[in-house]
Amino acid sequence: MSPVNLTANGRAHLGHAAGPFLRMDVVQKHLKRAGHHVRSGLTTDGFENHVLVRAARENIDPSDLAHGFHVKILEDLASLGIVFDTFDDPAYGKNLQRFSDVSNALMGALSAAGSLDFRAARLPMDDAGSAATRPEDRFCIGGWFGADCPVCAASAGSFFCEQCGHHFEPDEALNPVSRRGRIVEWRDNVSAFLSISGNDRLLRTWDDTAIEPGFLDIGKRYVARKGQQMRVTVPGLHGLVWNSRHFNTQQILFSYSSLLYAHSLYCGHKDTEGAGKPSPFACDSDAFLISATGIDNTIPMLVGATGCALGQNLFRPFDRMFFNYFLRLNGSKVSTSRGHVIWAGEIARTPNISIDVLRVCLSEICPEEAESDLVSEQLVDRYNTLFDKIPAAIDRCTESINTMPALTGCCVDGAMMITLDRLYEQQCAALSLDHLRVSQASRSVIEWVDYLDAKPDHQAAYTWLMGFSILAWPLMPKITEALWHWLGHGGHPLAACASTPSSQRGGTVPSIDGRRLAAADLDRCLPGKIAA
């Protein structure tokens, strides 16, 4: 399981958390709960052009800036209980050699398979440099480039339109401008482009990957306009260099195709290194590969990463790719570059906040079918509703069980188990890898909470706590693991153990830490209140 990397030009915000990263954390726990062996990896991209833009603005070395944000991103996600088996900065220290090795293996395989096309593309150059500036630094691309989308005419930049998801070359864009000076000429630059042979190979792979219609349409529109091709290198000085006699400038791997896929290959290589096992991305691996990202990475994943997987014979594509729409904050899109964010780590540092309850709230607004809006007042109200309801149910059950001298002889309530089975199947359907809806996962949990009697007997209390631990673990890992262990079980909640009571319990009675929130708690995290 390898979600798309985060650009290391800022911290992780709630748009990231409520989108791909919480989704994958929930899915990972759901699969583990069902007994599957799951491994996860994530990286940050310190070579993406927007890192250079921020580093130039702050007069700091790009590598130092990127690694600093890598550390902060790790902390932000971990503060919400979102963790990975491996989470590296591939461009940092000894990681760079491993990253370079897997990237060169990919590019070599693409070249050997005849999937690379070397051709000139017209790129803008601006007047931001001097006569001594190398041409690679004079090209106005990535974060330096602004334009209107050639498909929907929305304001766009870099190589992508966030409004409609299209990918374009700079010379295709409307009304191009430099964000650091003035465009003074357009120059032909030879880059490597991915070219996939065979009709409809991408489309057939997307069908196999169960891409949902809205995102599938973005990919189909791209292929209809541009074919099964996409650039894999750009001119640059800061990045993974790949050499060819065809180039007229130094070329680095493109963050939204070859480098994007290389990040996932790095995670796979790192996870199996030294274990004597092939990478999960190896063509003969039987691993089931899952990724997730936002709508802005639709073409990079559907064409860039998938195309790189199809264009050679060493590595294979993902089995599932999940996309989500954007999260809005009080009506406007969450954006690192515009500073319109709530940083995940800041809201997590709200004194005495329950991270478990917050995770439920964020899961419910996951923008899976359309853009959703995080309205601060509504988030506080929903949090408080859940905080009033769930801890009270847990306390009623732990109090009932605490009056028992021991759990010996305790058995589950048969009628409640029938309900639990139904709710578990309902939640499994919401978390299906064929039609993922994390935003619906809490429904089974809330129905189970509402199902509890006001004064449960020992048997009902035990059954309810066991069922709650299993149903809520993907969303509320801290309290459910504590309850699971208190009920006498080891490890994490397992669905197969739902009807197997333990003979003993031990430790401190678990409860949900935290308090109700006030509007002022979220207000302190809103844009402008916290520095990036």
Side-chain angles (χ1 to χ4, degrees):
M1 185 174 291
S2 178
V4 169
N5 59 71
L6 277 170
T7 299
N9 69 328
R11 294 170 54 184
H13 53 61
L14 289 191
H16 300 131
F21 298 104
L22 182 57
R23 282 181 101 191
M24 288 298 94
D25 190 71
V26 170
V27 169
Q28 179 178 195
K29 289 180 171 60
H30 162 62
L31 294 173
K32 288 181 176 179
R33 176 182 65 177
H36 296 287
H37 177 70
V38 184
R39 300 288 294 172
S40 61
L42 181 66
T43 59
T44 52
D45 185 359
F47 290 144
E48 208 276 347
N49 181 263
H50 284 83
V51 172
L52 297 181
V53 172
R54 180 156 189 173
R57 187 173 73 232
E58 299 185 8
N59 194 28
I60 184 174
D61 179 77
S63 297
D64 292 338
L65 179 132
H67 189 66
F69 278 122
H70 168 84
V71 173
K72 290 181 179 180
I73 289 169
L74 187 154
E75 294 171 348
D76 280 333
L77 294 179
S79 71
L80 294 178
I82 301 171
V83 295
F84 299 86
D85 294 306
T86 62
F87 189 0
D88 281 358
D89 176 357
Y92 184 73
K94 62 181 181 181
N95 296 335
L96 182 57
Q97 187 59 56
R98 181 187 293 111
F99 195 29
S100 180
D101 289 344
V102 298
S103 301
N104 285 334
L106 169 63
M107 294 299 291
L110 288 170
S111 180
S115 297
L116 296 182
D117 178 23
F118 299 91
R119 67 173 185 266
R122 292 179 67 246
L123 296 178
M125 303 188 84
D126 59 27
D127 58 0
S130 65
T133 302
R134 289 184 57 171
E136 292 89 348
D137 270 351
R138 289 193 58 209
F139 284 113
C140 174
I141 57 177
W144 305 119
F145 183 73
D148 293 335
C149 173
V151 171
C152 71
S155 178
S158 186
F159 292 87
F160 300 98
C161 175
E162 292 186 345
Q163 185 68 33
C164 72
H166 187 60
H167 163 73
F168 52 82
E169 286 293 311
D171 65 347
E172 299 173 311
L174 307 175
N175 306 315
V177 297
S178 170
R179 290 171 172 165
R180 63 179 179 181
R182 183 173 59 89
I183 294 175
V184 292
E185 66 172 304
W186 291 75
R187 183 176 298 182
D188 284 343
N189 179 260
V190 177
S191 296
F193 287 78
L194 179 71
S195 181
I196 301 300
S197 60
N199 293 333
D200 298 332
R201 287 188 69 197
L202 282 175
L203 275 67
R204 292 197 303 271
T205 303
W206 299 342
D207 286 340
D208 293 341
T209 315
I211 304 300
E212 295 197 35
F215 305 103
L216 187 61
D217 290 344
I218 295 173
K220 287 181 176 179
R221 182 184 63 209
Y222 176 90
V223 170
R225 290 177 66 99
K226 304 189 68 169
Q228 297 183 118
Q229 64 87 34
M230 186 176 183
R231 74 162 51 242
V232 291
T233 69
V234 290
L237 301 177
H238 182 68
L240 287 184
V241 177
W242 192 67
N243 296 313
S244 169
R245 60 182 177 80
H246 300 283
F247 296 145
N248 53 3
T249 58
Q250 177 172 290
Q251 296 282 306
I252 59 176
L253 300 193
F254 187 39
S255 282
Y256 296 96
S257 56
S258 53
L259 194 67
L260 181 65
Y261 187 49
H263 275 277
S264 294
L265 297 181
Y266 172 95
C267 290
H269 183 78
K270 176 70 180 290
D271 191 62
T272 56
E273 189 177 39
K277 298 187 297 183
S279 165
F281 289 90
C283 285
D284 57 353
S285 170
D286 61 358
F288 194 87
L289 303 174
I290 303 172
S291 189
T293 188
I295 187 175
D296 50 337
N297 280 318
T298 303
I299 297 303
M301 285 301 291
L302 291 184
V303 181
T306 303
C308 284
L310 295 179
Q312 42 71 48
N313 301 313
L314 292 181
F315 310 108
R316 63 191 184 90
F318 284 98
D319 296 288
R320 290 291 181 273
M321 292 185 291
F322 299 111
F323 297 91
N324 59 262
Y325 295 91
F326 286 135
L327 180 73
R328 293 181 172 271
L329 172 58
N330 293 328
S332 299
K333 176 186 171 292
V334 172
S335 169
T336 298
S337 60
R338 291 191 288 273
H340 187 69
V341 295
I342 292 180
W343 304 115
E346 294 304 328
I347 193 170
R349 279 192 282 273
T350 299
N352 298 318
I353 193 173
S354 168
I355 299 301
D356 277 338
V357 175
L358 178 62
R359 281 171 59 102
V360 177
C361 296
L362 294 177
S363 75
E364 292 177 340
I365 60 173
C366 182
E368 295 172 299
E369 297 183 348
E371 289 189 352
S372 59
D373 200 0
L374 191 162
V375 179
S376 49
E377 295 86 353
Q378 293 175 1
L379 181 65
V380 169
D381 289 345
R382 181 57 176 166
Y383 173 97
N384 288 337
T385 296
L386 296 174
F387 189 82
D388 291 342
K389 177 181 290 192
I390 298 175
I394 293 172
D395 292 346
R396 294 203 305 275
C397 291
T398 54
E399 288 169 6
S400 175
I401 291 179
N402 256 345
T403 63
M404 299 173 61
L407 291 179
T408 304
C410 182
C411 59
V412 296
D413 183 301
M416 292 182 70
M417 286 299 295
I418 293 173
T419 299
L420 177 60
D421 286 343
R422 175 180 62 81
L423 293 178
Y424 179 72
E425 291 302 318
Q426 173 183 300
Q427 191 182 63
C428 286
L431 298 178
S432 165
L433 296 183
D434 292 329
H435 189 66
L436 180 63
R437 287 296 180 269
V438 167
S439 56
Q440 299 174 13
S442 69
R443 295 178 184 179
S444 296
V445 179
I446 303 306
E447 187 172 340
W448 187 243
V449 172
D450 292 338
Y451 180 76
L452 183 66
D453 292 336
K455 293 184 178 181
D457 59 25
H458 303 327
Q459 191 178 47
Y462 186 93
T463 306
W464 189 89
L465 287 174
M466 180 68 76
F468 177 78
S469 298
I470 292 167
L471 285 175
W473 183 53
L475 297 170
M476 307 179 71
K478 184 177 180 181
I479 182 59
T480 52
E481 288 178 21
L483 286 169
W484 187 255
H485 298 156
W486 185 70
L487 292 172
H489 294 276
H492 59 72
L494 280 170
C497 296
S499 58
T500 309
S502 172
S503 61
Q504 60 183 1
R505 69 175 187 273
T508 305
V509 178
S511 61
I512 292 181
D513 298 329
R515 61 173 173 85
R516 301 179 96 250
L517 294 182
D521 291 315
L522 230 61
D523 183 63
R524 60 172 288 278
C525 303
L526 291 175
K529 304 295 179 65
I530 301 292

